[in-house]
Amino acid sequence: MSEPGSPIAALIEAAAAGNMGAFSEIVRLYRMRVLRVACGIVGSVEEAEDVAQEVFVKLWNSLPNYQAQSAFDSWLYRVTVNAAIDALRKQRPTLSLEDELAHTTREPPEEAALRNETRQQVQQAIQALPEAARAALVLREYEQLSYKQIADVLQIPIGTVMSRLNYARQLLRKSLDPQSLERR
Amino acid sequence: MQHPDELQLQSYLDGELTEATRRRVEAHLSACGACREALRSCERLSATLQAARPSEELFSAPGEFWARLASRLSQPRAPIWPLAPYVPPVMLGVLGSLTEGLISLLVLLYALSGWGVIPALGKAIAPTLHAALEVPWIEGWLEFSWIAWAREALQRWEGMQSSAQEAVVWGPLLLGLAVVWLAAVSLFLLWALCWSNATRLHHRGGN
């Protein structure tokens, strides 16, 4: 929460005044969160990197106008979800997350193959979800946001958050291989 | 307690139930094998999803990410004019208010001329224009045919009834100002609606 006097509030203030060092620290703190949410929604590492770049450029330009009406985290997640959904609608064929997973791993081969197979299945299933349900699911499962935080990010009632999550989970349960669930 | 539905079980797993409800669900789960199995299914799904979370190694290194971003931030920020969105509605508001003021003034002058406090505008026009046409530089500036036409028009004007003269003078003036006022009000409302949307979008964060 960007309460006055908190470290993040000080960084925001400094970055809003043009301090690149403060802004790089904000990027360092929030980069993975933005990338994870973007990747979960667009389903491609390359696209997620582009989305994350856009988000931080927007952040840089908007910081002077940022009013602490909502927590900084919620605000940043909101910008990320909106940017990711926009990118999704303009999506060009890129290397999908499944293909990326096949090339980037440092685990022992057998474990890596198993994990990658599961990840690929899960990613395919998530990408098949409607945008709205996908965003809610990614925020809950990848970022562990509470229902209230998700409602704040997506600007919807808590009841809608619950129904979207429930819908997403029902669809995933139908589409995921029961064996890949049992391995957990 | 009745069997909790899927939504309730999921909320329990997500830690979103109230204390009282959570205790009731837990008491039920301790006695109901079917609901425990349903909960385990929710747990497995959640664990699978979290394990599939994109990890840091998939993405570019922090330094590379920052280098790419920093090159896009090197341009100076676009100047921000916080009052810019307010300029059009303020201008339209000023225009509308001025027009309304002029309409009120004209109505007042019309009323005063009707009560005889000030000379009727229609009657005042003719002598004023006659005098203007005899000013040497105007006489020299206008062509003879224009002056002749103007004198003829003035004679016809003097022959009109005073009520007709008043209608010809006041009517177009008031109508013209009313049209300007209506246009200003309409544009003001239109701008207020568009601006409000833009403000909402801005406060919603970025799009």
Side-chain angles (χ1 to χ4, degrees):
Chain A
M1 182 84 173
S2 56
E3 288 162 359
S6 66
I8 189 64
L11 283 174
I12 292 167
E13 204 180 315
N19 187 327
M20 274 291 200
F23 189 69
S24 75
E25 184 59 18
I26 293 174
V27 172
R28 188 188 70 79
L29 289 170
Y30 288 94
R31 179 182 145 264
M32 273 313 299
R33 294 189 221 190
V34 170
L35 281 168
R36 272 195 303 262
V37 170
C39 194
I41 293 176
V42 300
S44 149
V45 170
E46 193 185 329
E47 286 275 1
E49 294 262 7
D50 290 343
V51 167
Q53 291 278 322
E54 283 305 316
V55 167
F56 284 112
V57 169
K58 268 187 197 172
L59 180 64
W60 171 252
N61 290 329
S62 312
L63 271 176
N65 281 344
Y66 170 70
Q67 313 270 340
Q69 292 137 343
S70 61
F72 178 74
D73 295 20
S74 298
W75 185 65
L76 187 61
Y77 277 127
R78 190 178 311 133
V79 174
T80 304
V81 167
N82 289 338
I85 290 177
D86 285 345
L88 203 60
R89 291 173 185 167
K90 296 182 222 169
Q91 207 163 34
R92 61 192 186 283
T94 58
L95 205 59
S96 69
L97 184 57
E98 299 104 69
D99 298 324
E100 287 286 329
L101 287 170
H103 294 107
T104 51
T105 177
R106 298 179 199 131
E107 294 168 316
E110 303 80 23
E111 283 181 34
L114 196 62
R115 185 189 278 278
N116 282 344
E117 196 189 326
T118 308
R119 270 183 179 166
Q120 283 172 29
Q121 279 181 6
V122 171
Q123 277 305 318
Q124 276 173 358
I126 291 175
Q127 291 309 302
L129 295 173
E131 282 169 11
R134 197 187 310 178
L137 185 84
V138 164
L139 289 172
R140 174 62 217 161
E141 298 294 350
Y142 286 3
E143 298 302 307
Q144 302 292 297
L145 297 192
S146 67
Y147 292 178
K148 187 174 179 317
Q149 286 172 317
I150 297 172
D152 190 29
V153 170
L154 300 180
Q155 308 260 274
I156 52 177
I158 289 181
T160 310
V161 172
M162 293 168 70
S163 72
R164 284 186 189 177
L165 281 174
N166 190 45
Y167 179 58
R169 284 158 170 163
Q170 281 177 350
L171 288 179
L172 286 174
R173 227 177 261 117
K174 279 183 198 155
S175 58
L176 283 174
D177 173 14
Q179 286 181 353
S180 67
L181 291 177
E182 276 170 19
R183 276 180 211 137
R184 294 285 133 216
Chain B
M1 184 189 174
Q2 280 187 334
H3 298 289
D5 60 19
E6 195 178 330
L7 201 62
Q8 214 170 20
L9 277 179
Q10 204 59 67
S11 301
Y12 169 75
L13 191 61
D14 291 338
E16 295 281 349
L17 293 179
T18 60
E19 188 58 31
T21 313
R22 185 187 62 78
R23 273 196 233 111
R24 278 201 304 275
V25 168
E26 277 178 353
H28 178 87
L29 286 170
S30 63
C32 179
C35 288
R36 279 200 302 276
E37 184 50 40
L39 181 68
R40 271 196 288 274
S41 167
C42 295
E43 283 171 340
R44 280 195 295 269
L45 176 63
S46 198
T48 303
L49 292 173
Q50 284 174 34
R53 219 167 155 230
S55 53
E56 187 151 4
E57 68 217 30
L58 289 173
F59 303 105
S60 59
E64 201 182 312
F65 185 88
W66 172 251
R68 190 179 152 200
L69 179 63
S71 66
R72 297 177 67 180
L73 302 178
S74 58
Q75 309 89 340
R77 274 200 187 101
I80 291 163
W81 304 97
L83 294 181
Y86 297 92
V87 170
V90 165
M91 284 173 59
L92 288 169
V94 167
L95 178 64
S97 302
L98 276 175
T99 317
E100 211 173 307
L102 279 172
I103 292 173
S104 305
L105 182 65
L106 287 178
V107 168
L108 178 66
L109 289 175
Y110 179 74
L112 289 175
S113 70
W115 292 328
V117 175
I118 57 172
L121 189 59
K123 286 214 175 329
I125 284 179
T128 310
L129 286 176
H130 272 303
L133 289 172
E134 277 158 23
V135 171
W137 72 267
I138 291 181
E139 216 174 348
W141 179 54
L142 291 172
E143 287 182 14
F144 180 72
S145 57
W146 279 98
I147 296 177
W149 177 86
R151 288 209 169 109
E152 203 181 306
L154 278 171
Q155 276 175 351
R156 280 205 297 273
W157 176 263
E158 281 162 341
M160 283 168 71
Q161 287 185 346
S162 64
S163 57
Q165 286 178 348
E166 297 301 301
V168 167
V169 169
W170 293 106
L173 261 179
L174 284 170
L175 190 63
L177 285 172
V179 167
V180 171
W181 179 77
L182 271 172
V185 167
S186 304
L187 286 170
F188 179 88
L189 283 172
L190 189 67
W191 189 269
L193 286 169
C194 295
W195 173 73
S196 295
N197 274 335
T199 304
R200 278 200 295 273
L201 283 170
H202 171 74
H203 283 306
R204 259 193 264 134
N207 280 341

